[in-house]
Amino acid sequence: MKKLSLFVFLILIFIQDNLAANIKLKIIENINKIDTLKFNFSQFSFNIEEKGTCYLKRPYFLKCLYEDKKQKQLIINKRSLVIYHERYKKIYYYPLSRSYFLEILDKNKFSKIIMDGNLSSSEGIIQIKFFTKKKGNIIFYFDEYKFDLIGWVINDINNNSTNFKILNLNKNIKIEKKIFDIPAIN
C-alpha cells in the first residue's frame, strides 16, 4: 500500500510539473509575440498611489508618464534609467542594474525568469515568484486565460514594496522611438 501511495504521489508531482511548464511556455509564447505595449497603470509604493500611462518598445525602451503635478516621467533608453520632472526641468539618474526593468524589457531574460520562477495560480491569475540577492523578490501576475502580464509586486533588497498594476493593455501598436529620448537639460 505504501509503494502504491508513493507511486501515485510521484505521478501527481510529475503531472503538476508538466502543467506548470506548459503554462510557463504559453506565457513565454505570448511574450515573444509582443514588440510594443501601451497601457495605463496604477502604482502603489511608499504609501503613495500614482497613476499614468506607459509605452514599451522591446528591447530596452520604456516611458511612463505619471499623472501628477511634477509631470514625472520614468524613461528607460537602452541602458539609462531616469526620472524626469518636466515641471521643474530636473533629471535624476538611477542604476538600471538594480531593477528588474532589464529583465522585463528583454524577451530572453524575461523568459528565463518565467522558467526559473515558482508558479502558482488562484482566481484566474497566474503568479510567478522570482528572487535574486541583488534585486530582491518579484511576483509577476498574468491573466490565466490570455497569458498577458497584468502587473507585479517588487520587494527590493531594502524591503521597499512596489505594487504595479497594468490596465487597458494594447499590444503591438506603432510607437515612435523618439518618445524614449531623454530630455536635454540646459
Side-chain angles (χ1 to χ4, degrees):
M1 186 67 168
K2 287 183 181 180
K3 289 182 181 181
L4 180 61
S5 295
L6 179 62
F7 180 72
V8 170
F9 178 72
L10 291 175
I11 287 176
L12 290 174
I13 289 175
F14 177 75
I15 291 169
Q16 184 178 9
D17 287 347
N18 281 338
L19 288 173
N22 189 36
I23 291 170
K24 288 178 178 182
L25 289 174
K26 287 181 180 183
I27 290 170
I28 290 168
E29 182 181 310
N30 186 45
I31 289 168
N32 287 335
K33 291 178 182 176
I34 300 169
D35 292 316
T36 64
L37 293 172
K38 178 185 176 188
F39 55 88
N40 296 336
F41 70 88
S42 173
Q43 175 180 304
F44 188 79
S45 56
F46 302 105
N47 294 322
I48 299 170
E49 183 177 16
E50 299 175 288
K51 295 181 179 199
T53 303
C54 288
Y55 302 87
L56 180 148
K57 186 175 181 82
R58 288 202 165 108
Y60 306 123
F61 294 98
L62 177 70
K63 184 170 190 172
C64 295
L65 306 167
Y66 289 75
E67 298 168 0
D68 65 358
K69 61 183 174 184
K70 295 177 187 177
Q71 298 171 316
K72 181 168 80 171
Q73 299 176 16
L74 178 143
I75 305 168
I76 297 174
N77 184 329
K78 294 188 181 175
R79 299 284 180 210
S80 299
L81 185 156
V82 301
I83 301 293
Y84 173 56
H85 293 177
E86 186 174 17
R87 180 175 181 183
Y88 304 113
K89 305 293 185 223
K90 299 265 185 186
I91 291 183
Y92 303 93
Y93 289 85
Y94 294 94
L96 191 54
S97 62
R98 285 198 241 164
S99 77
Y100 276 103
F101 285 121
L102 284 175
E103 286 81 3
I104 293 170
L105 294 171
D106 182 286
K107 291 179 186 182
N108 293 327
K109 290 178 182 180
F110 199 20
S111 296
K112 182 164 176 28
I113 283 180
I114 300 305
M115 290 307 292
D116 293 346
N118 296 319
L119 182 137
S120 62
S121 181
S122 176
E123 299 179 16
I125 296 174
I126 300 166
Q127 297 179 15
I128 305 274
K129 296 178 184 179
F130 186 79
F131 173 80
T132 69
K133 289 182 182 179
K134 290 183 179 180
K135 299 178 185 181
N137 187 54
I138 189 164
I139 303 170
F140 292 103
Y141 298 98
F142 295 89
D143 177 277
E144 191 173 45
Y145 307 104
K146 295 180 182 179
F147 303 103
D148 288 334
L149 180 64
I150 56 174
W152 57 80
V153 174
I154 297 174
N155 291 307
D156 68 18
I157 57 174
N158 298 319
N159 212 24
N160 298 314
S161 180
T162 301
N163 186 336
F164 192 89
K165 293 181 183 176
I166 293 174
L167 311 161
N168 304 321
L169 183 65
N170 294 294
K171 300 179 197 176
N172 293 323
I173 62 168
K174 185 169 173 67
I175 300 176
E176 296 295 327
K177 198 172 176 181
K178 67 182 179 180
I179 74 161
F180 303 103
D181 290 346
I182 296 171
I185 302 296
N186 295 332

